[in-house]
Amino acid sequence: MNEATDRLALLLSRVATGDAGAFAQFYDETSHRVYGMVLRIVRDRGISEETTQEVFLTVWRSAHTFDAESGSPLGWLMTLAHRRAVDRVRSETAAKRRLHVYSTAEQSTRIEHDVVSESAERRETVREVRSLLCRLTELQREAIELAYFRGMTYREVADELGVALPTAKSRIRQALKRLEPHITATAA
């Protein structure tokens, strides 16, 4: 082993006994490498910082599991960091997938509900309008359909029906007056 490896192994053995100073020194000497590797895997600075903290929390809690015979302190640390970073990416990916599935399902349910609801309302409105229009004379119905369903002005209605402007206005006004009690009753 070289001098740096020996120093890190000694620091880890002191960390295993709860030595906060040794932990701080171990952190200072290795955190930039851990963060760099985690950032390459995670690709998000904020999540990489959190993951690096989690790695060093694991070091604090499990320094006693380090075995110098099995590998170097830096190798052990980087293995912890790599595993934690990969787990974090998997967790984030799964969370995004769940959120996407949930929002897609919620959106499709909402759309289906809205479409069904709107369709039902539209059919009911059409039925009510047809029922009301049956209460009008043929001339009144024609004037109302041109003005309200085709969006024509009074002048255009008069021209379409071949009548004078006051006559077209009168037919529309009489039709609305005739429908008024039924519209008020339907709206209530």
Side-chain angles (χ1 to χ4, degrees):
M1 283 205 241
N2 65 29
E3 185 179 322
T5 301
D6 290 342
R7 187 175 61 256
L8 290 177
L10 177 61
L11 288 172
L12 269 179
S13 67
R14 288 175 46 204
V15 170
T17 65
D19 185 339
F23 178 75
Q25 191 174 351
F26 184 80
Y27 177 87
D28 290 342
E29 290 188 29
T30 59
S31 62
H32 63 283
R33 289 179 130 180
V34 169
Y35 176 76
M37 191 204 29
V38 169
L39 182 59
R40 280 192 304 278
I41 295 169
V42 175
R43 296 189 174 148
D44 178 277
R45 290 188 183 279
I47 295 173
S48 295
E49 289 170 359
E50 290 174 14
T51 304
T52 299
Q53 288 177 350
E54 292 169 5
V55 168
F56 281 99
L57 182 59
T58 301
V59 168
W60 176 254
R61 291 179 178 163
S62 62
H64 65 280
T65 65
F66 170 69
D67 178 16
E69 299 296 320
S70 298
S72 71
L74 195 54
W76 177 77
L77 176 64
M78 297 307 275
T79 300
L80 286 176
H82 184 269
R83 287 180 182 158
R84 179 68 66 171
V86 169
D87 286 348
R88 190 62 181 260
V89 168
R90 287 178 181 153
S91 174
E92 293 290 324
T93 302
K96 285 178 185 174
R97 199 173 316 122
R98 280 191 305 272
L99 181 62
H100 176 72
V101 167
Y102 173 75
S103 66
T104 302
E106 180 184 26
Q107 191 175 35
S108 69
T109 302
R110 188 179 324 123
I111 289 170
E112 287 174 19
H113 174 70
D114 289 345
V115 168
V116 170
S117 175
E118 288 173 12
S119 177
E121 287 176 16
R122 194 175 311 115
R123 279 194 306 270
E124 180 64 21
T125 302
V126 167
R127 188 185 62 73
E128 289 174 1
V129 167
R130 282 186 181 147
S131 169
L132 290 173
L133 289 178
C134 288
R135 298 176 182 275
L136 301 175
T137 67
E138 185 63 35
L139 296 173
Q140 290 172 336
R141 186 176 324 116
E142 254 186 320
I144 288 290
E145 286 175 354
L146 292 173
Y148 289 97
F149 298 118
R150 291 188 41 199
M152 293 183 171
T153 65
Y154 288 131
R155 167 62 54 206
E156 291 170 333
V157 170
D159 291 344
E160 180 75 20
L161 296 176
V163 296
L165 180 61
T167 304
K169 285 181 180 181
S170 176
R171 286 182 187 170
I172 293 171
R173 192 171 32 257
Q174 287 172 354
L176 292 175
K177 198 170 203 168
R178 189 173 207 176
L179 293 175
E180 185 177 22
H182 305 289
I183 291 173
T184 306
T186 306

